[in-house]
Amino acid sequence: MQYIDKLEYHVTDLCNLSCQFCNHYSNLHKSRRMMEPADAAVEWTKWAAHLIPREFILLGGEPTMNPRLEELVSLARQTWSRSRIVIWSNGHWLQKHPRLHEVLAGGALKLSLYAETNMAELHSKLARFHGVVDVEFNDFRASDTWLQFYKLGDGKPQPFTDNDPAKSWEHCPSKHCHVLRDGALWKCPQVAYHKSVGIDWPAFTAYEPLQDPLDFAAWIARKHEHCCSCCPAGRVIHNAVTR
């Protein structure tokens, strides 16, 4: 059995916000993918027999836009019984899942705070979670917390051309955000979701995710790869705008 710090899974690609330079590309609103519990079970079972993540993270997009989120959380707790189950959300639609605090009990709810966040309203929604679920906040309301992972040209994502994958990996905040998608493990969100929004950068299209759990040890030991060259070689901060 192999161990991994974090393993992320999109329960939907949809998002109700449009945060510039989102590294999941949910701001582009090009993919309407919505995961069903039956399909998730197939993917998760394959890897759960070989892999134990410290945290199994359900996110998006915005995970609360999936009407079957409570079922997916219950399934995650059964499948990844030795992992901490985490939901990463902007909190806007928590009220659509009245049993979420029950099925997530013992897990964590990580909330991203944006300019649109109504704190009084959010705290009201969180009342049922306190004492049952660990609630954590990630504050993205300040401009110096937003990093660019790509450039925009004619409204389309364009790669950086620093061509220094080692430095890009060194500075990358996504280096430990490994993604389970389409039955395979991907290095990071940037490369995992590129197909869903039509990104065809050669370094991304040439990337091959891990398909065989038995090859995990060698895969996780890799640091920078050619796909890393699409990201900036240093921290590029952007004053993000959402709508």
Side-chain angles (χ1 to χ4, degrees):
M1 190 67 76
Q2 302 283 342
Y3 294 86
I4 189 172
D5 188 43
K6 299 177 183 177
L7 185 58
E8 299 184 354
Y9 187 84
H10 258 213
V11 298
T12 180
D13 293 347
L14 291 173
C15 191
N16 58 314
L17 298 181
S18 301
C19 304
Q20 290 190 25
F21 301 109
C22 170
N23 67 326
H24 290 229
Y25 314 116
S26 299
N27 54 322
L28 303 178
H29 303 292
K30 288 190 174 183
S31 174
R32 302 187 62 83
R33 183 170 180 164
M34 189 78 69
M35 294 308 301
E36 295 289 333
D39 296 323
V42 173
E43 291 188 83
W44 297 355
T45 300
K46 169 186 173 180
W47 289 94
H50 303 274
L51 198 62
I52 300 176
R54 183 181 64 82
E55 289 188 345
F56 185 70
I57 305 172
L58 302 174
L59 73 177
E62 170 48 44
T64 58
M65 294 186 75
N66 189 320
R68 304 189 70 178
L69 179 60
E70 293 174 354
E71 295 175 64
L72 286 160
V73 172
S74 295
L75 177 63
R77 292 190 64 179
Q78 295 170 21
T79 309
W80 308 95
S81 59
R82 288 181 280 183
S83 304
R84 183 193 197 207
I85 307 303
V86 177
I87 292 176
W88 198 306
S89 168
N90 60 42
H92 289 195
W93 286 16
L94 287 173
Q95 72 279 5
K96 293 182 177 291
H97 306 277
R99 294 187 57 250
L100 189 57
H101 63 296
E102 297 176 9
V103 295
L104 189 59
L109 177 62
K110 296 188 178 184
L111 293 159
S112 297
L113 306 180
Y114 301 106
E116 299 87 348
T117 304
N118 182 318
M119 292 303 297
E121 182 179 281
L122 179 59
H123 282 298
S124 176
K125 294 175 183 176
L126 292 176
R128 60 194 166 100
F129 289 90
H130 291 304
V132 179
V133 172
D134 291 333
V135 177
E136 304 173 15
F137 295 97
N138 301 277
D139 198 339
F140 296 105
R141 291 174 293 182
S143 61
D144 61 358
T145 61
W146 283 91
L147 300 179
Q148 272 186 244
F149 297 88
Y150 51 88
K151 298 177 287 186
L152 286 175
D154 297 324
K156 298 179 180 179
Q158 302 292 337
F160 280 85
T161 54
D162 301 343
N163 200 29
D164 192 338
K167 282 192 175 180
S168 295
W169 186 88
E170 179 185 348
H171 293 286
C172 184
S174 301
K175 68 175 68 174
H176 302 301
C177 299
H178 305 303
V179 175
L180 175 56
R181 182 145 172 124
D182 297 327
L185 288 191
W186 299 75
K187 190 174 189 68
C188 64
Q190 293 92 291
V191 71
Y193 306 120
H194 76 279
K195 292 181 181 178
S196 66
V197 296
I199 289 176
D200 59 358
W201 309 337
F204 274 13
T205 57
Y207 177 82
E208 295 184 4
L210 179 66
Q211 301 284 353
D212 189 345
L214 297 181
D215 295 332
F216 176 80
W219 180 83
I220 197 66
R222 297 176 192 157
K223 295 185 177 180
H224 64 274
E225 298 184 59
H226 184 50
C227 61
C228 300
S229 63
C230 294
C231 285
R235 288 168 55 88
V236 179
I237 298 173
H238 176 76
N239 186 10
V241 177
T242 58
R243 62 176 181 270

